[in-house]
Amino acid sequence: MKKLWLLVALFCTCISGAGDIVRLWEGDAPLAKGQRQCDIPTIEVFLPENPSGRPTPAVIICPGGAYSGLAYAHEGVNYAKFLNKYGIAGFVLRYRTGSSRNGSYRYPAPNLDAHRAIRMVRANAAKWNINPELVGIMGSSAGGHLAAMTAVKNDSGKRDAADVVERYSSRPDFAILCYAQTSMDTRYGACAGSRQNLIGDNAATIEDVAAYALVTDDTPPCFLWHTIEDATVPVRNALDFANALEDNFVPFSLHIYHQGRHGIGLGDPNNPHPWSGELIVWLKEIGVIR
């Protein structure tokens, strides 16, 4: 009985406030392989203090983890709490991943989860006091790849869908890419683990997940940062994506730092990495926050 109540609490579908963990689908998610935690994509809600009462911006946060697991606290919860300080709601996405222990989910399962998260936030904007026209996406490493893919491949929703959530757009209004993979090919000799976990041995899908090659003039404004020292996801991933944004006249802000290992996140909690301050400047520049 105790285990049952724990599961009920973990996968609660009610929509109320901060701290909730909300299932993205009431029933089985598309392509679901079971009823384990790894089979059930969710978002965790982090709402900011909001003395003004005005609807707030929101960001869907995709933790990294090589499409194997999720750096949920480091690149998820920590980011949400950081954004809360600036009046932005954070929704940490637990998306499906490709390791055998987590169900061996391949593309497009993670993308379906990210799209659904954006739709879910917009569908419940009034309940969470969110501005549905200021819903962005953020991700690090493989989570950055998922965020980038969501920025370049999305849809406006199905107006007549029986599932009300599916009527909302999955296009983010802005994207934040932290040392993100923007392709899964072999040009740079890295990222092989993420590639295997996302697409397995089906090399024909490499082009389908080359986010940098899918940028169009409808891609939303992007903030990108990376380090030259990153040996896991080479800096060329950020440069390729930025070049594609420029080619398509999409506004962006690119920050390349010399030092820093892969996966540094916010860095020292008492002295956050400079990218975090630059992000806030950019969010003000594009009108997300005041």
Side-chain angles (χ1 to χ4, degrees), residues 200-247:
D201 297 324
N202 187 359
T205 61
I206 286 179
E207 293 182 357
D208 294 334
V209 296
Y212 78 97
L214 300 172
V215 172
T216 70
D217 59 5
D218 190 51
T219 301
C222 295
F223 179 95
L224 307 90
W225 75 273
H226 221 108
T227 67
I228 295 174
E229 288 185 345
D230 191 329
T232 303
V233 177
V235 70
R236 287 294 317 181
N237 282 268
L239 299 177
D240 284 348
F241 201 84
N243 286 334
L245 293 170
E246 182 183 26
D247 288 344

Side-chain angles (χ1 to χ4, degrees), residues 146-209:
L146 180 56
M149 286 294 298
T150 307
V152 299
K153 293 184 72 172
N154 46 68
D155 63 70
S156 59
K158 300 175 183 177
R159 300 298 179 186
D160 59 349
D163 182 345
V164 174
V165 176
E166 290 298 312
R167 299 176 187 176
Y168 289 84
S169 171
S170 64
R171 179 186 183 273
D173 295 301
F174 56 94
I176 303 164
L177 309 181
C178 309
Y179 42 89
Q181 292 180 242
T182 63
S183 75
M184 288 289 164
D185 61 30
T186 58
R187 289 173 300 160
Y188 310 131
C191 315
S194 293
R195 182 171 61 252
Q196 178 63 28
N197 286 324
L198 182 63
I199 62 176
D201 297 324
N202 187 359
T205 61
I206 286 179
E207 293 182 357
D208 294 334
V209 296

Side-chain angles (χ1 to χ4, degrees), residues 5-16:
W5 280 110
L6 286 173
L7 286 173
V8 171
L10 179 60
F11 299 124
C12 178
T13 59
C14 63
I15 309 292
S16 55

